[in-house]
Amino acid sequence: MNKKNPWSEIQAPKNDLSVRQIKESERLPLYWGKDHVGHCVFVIELEGDHAEIFNKHTVSVHGIKTDLRLLNTTGNQGLVLTLEKHLDQDLFFSLCETLVSALSEVSDSAVGLSVALSQIKRWKAFMAGKKGRVLSAEEVRGLFSELTFFKTMLENGFSEKNACEAWQGPETSHQDFIFSNTAVEIKSLSGRERNTVRISSEDQLEGLNETLFLKIFRLIDMPDSDKAMSLNDIIKKLEHSMQDSEAIEDFSEKLAKAGYVELRLYDKPKFLIAEEKCYLVGEKFPRLIRSQLPDGVLKIGYEIRLETIESFECDGREVWGK
C-alpha cells in the first residue's frame, strides 16, 4: 500500500465502525473506516430507504462484503464495503478511489447507490477475469491500440454488435480482430521504442482467414495536448457513444476479460497516435508460425524489424476492402 493509505491512522473500534469523512465528498458523504476486527471499510451515506433497490441489484465480489445498514453516527442508511482477507488492499483502495471519483458530482442518494452498484458489478467481472491486477504500461498501450481500432470499425460502418463480436483480443484468439474473412493483429509501440515489434506466439501471424493484416500504432505520451486521450478517456468516449444495450454489455465483459476496470491511475498516460502503419501478412512475410515449426517446438516469441517488412506495407483502407 502506498503513502495514501487512508486506513493507517484509523483505529479499530470496540464495536460497529470507526470512520472519517473523505474531504472530496461534499455532496454525498463518503467515509474511510475500520470495523471492530480491523477490516478496512468504505462507506457511502444515503438518505432515505434504499433496501428494495439494494436487494434487487446487489452484487457480491470475492474478498469484499457489501452491506446496507443503518449508521449509528447519523441514523441514515449506509452502503458499507468491507475488505476481507482474500483481496489485496491496494486493489480495494483502487476500487474505493474509483467510487470517490464516480460519486464526486452526485448528490442524490438513489443515483449514488446505482452508480456504486454499477461500479461494483464491473469490479466483480474484473476480479473474475484471468488478470485481476493492475495492467502494466505495455498492456495499457496494447488495450488503447485495440480500442482505437475498435473505434475505427464503428467509423467504417460496423454495427456496435458486429464490432464487439469482431474484437477477439480479450478472448485470447489468434488475432485481435476477426470479421468476415479478415483478421487483424494489433501491435503498439511507444515513442521511445526502437523499430521492432514483438510477436508473442507462433499463432499471432498465422492466418486462418483469407486475409491477415498487421496494424501497428506508435503512441506518444502528450499530457498537455487537448487531443490526447488516456485509457479511461477512450473507454468513456466509446461507452457514451454506444446505443445497443447488448453490445454495451458485451463490450463491458470484454474489457473485464482484458483486465480493465476503471482506476484513476489509468487517467495517465495520455496518448497521441504519432504514426500508424498497416501490413499485409502474406506467404513471404517474415514470421514463425505453428504449421511450419519443427516437431516438439512450441510457445515461441520473437521480434520483427520494421524496416524488413516495408515492402508489405499497404493502405490501411484495404482492411475495409477499399
Side-chain angles (χ1 to χ4, degrees), residues 174 201-208 283 287-295 297-298 300:
H174 284 195
S201 79
E202 64 274 21
D203 296 318
Q204 283 193 328
L205 295 185
E206 180 159 32
L208 302 180
E283 183 178 345
R287 55 182 173 160
L288 299 174
I289 57 178
R290 182 185 294 272
S291 60
Q292 296 177 2
L293 293 179
D295 290 342
V297 177
L298 43 83
I300 63 171

Side-chain angles (χ1 to χ4, degrees), residues 148-165:
T148 298
F149 188 82
F150 183 95
K151 178 172 173 287
T152 306
M153 291 191 75
L154 298 178
E155 294 168 350
N156 277 273
F158 283 76
S159 70
E160 295 168 3
K161 179 177 183 294
N162 288 340
C164 286
E165 289 176 350

Side-chain angles (χ1 to χ4, degrees), residues 124-165:
K124 179 179 181 177
F126 162 70
M127 292 304 299
K130 294 181 179 179
K131 291 186 171 68
R133 57 172 174 77
V134 174
L135 297 173
S136 68
E138 181 179 356
E139 289 170 328
V140 167
R141 288 200 312 272
L143 182 55
F144 184 93
S145 296
E146 288 183 34
L147 293 169
T148 298
F149 188 82
F150 183 95
K151 178 172 173 287
T152 306
M153 291 191 75
L154 298 178
E155 294 168 350
N156 277 273
F158 283 76
S159 70
E160 295 168 3
K161 179 177 183 294
N162 288 340
C164 286
E165 289 176 350

Side-chain angles (χ1 to χ4, degrees), residues 159-162 164 239 241-251:
S159 70
E160 295 168 3
K161 179 177 183 294
N162 288 340
C164 286
E239 288 180 329
S241 70
M242 295 173 70
Q243 303 295 321
D244 185 324
S245 59
E246 290 186 9
I248 293 170
E249 186 72 18
D250 189 16
F251 183 70

Side-chain angles (χ1 to χ4, degrees), residues 88-235:
D88 188 286
Q89 195 175 107
D90 283 334
L91 285 176
F92 184 60
F93 179 52
S94 295
L95 167 61
C96 296
E97 272 199 318
T98 300
L99 289 170
V100 172
S101 177
L103 296 170
S104 62
E105 300 298 322
V106 177
S107 55
D108 182 88
S109 292
V111 173
L113 178 61
S114 176
V115 169
L117 292 177
S118 176
Q119 290 286 347
I120 295 168
K121 181 181 179 182
R122 173 172 283 186
W123 194 267
K124 179 179 181 177
F126 162 70
M127 292 304 299
K130 294 181 179 179
K131 291 186 171 68
R133 57 172 174 77
V134 174
L135 297 173
S136 68
E138 181 179 356
E139 289 170 328
V140 167
R141 288 200 312 272
L143 182 55
F144 184 93
S145 296
E146 288 183 34
L147 293 169
T148 298
F149 188 82
F150 183 95
K151 178 172 173 287
T152 306
M153 291 191 75
L154 298 178
E155 294 168 350
N156 277 273
F158 283 76
S159 70
E160 295 168 3
K161 179 177 183 294
N162 288 340
C164 286
E165 289 176 350
W167 185 24
Q168 293 296 306
E171 308 292 346
T172 63
S173 178
H174 284 195
Q175 284 83 42
D176 295 312
F177 289 87
I178 300 174
F179 50 92
S180 299
N181 208 11
T182 298
V184 184
E185 178 64 24
I186 306 296
K187 293 295 179 182
S188 66
L189 297 173
S190 74
R192 300 186 302 274
E193 287 180 317
R194 63 188 189 278
N195 290 326
T196 63
V197 63
R198 175 73 179 173
I199 308 300
S200 58
S201 79
E202 64 274 21
D203 296 318
Q204 283 193 328
L205 295 185
E206 180 159 32
L208 302 180
N209 300 81
E210 183 177 317
T211 311
L212 171 60
F213 294 95
L214 174 63
K215 181 80 173 180
I216 299 176
F217 295 92
R218 187 178 293 276
L219 307 177
I220 55 175
D221 183 11
M222 296 289 287
D224 297 325
S225 172
D226 293 336
K227 295 182 180 180
M229 288 195 295
S230 68
L231 181 58
N232 283 340
D233 290 335
I234 192 171
I235 289 172

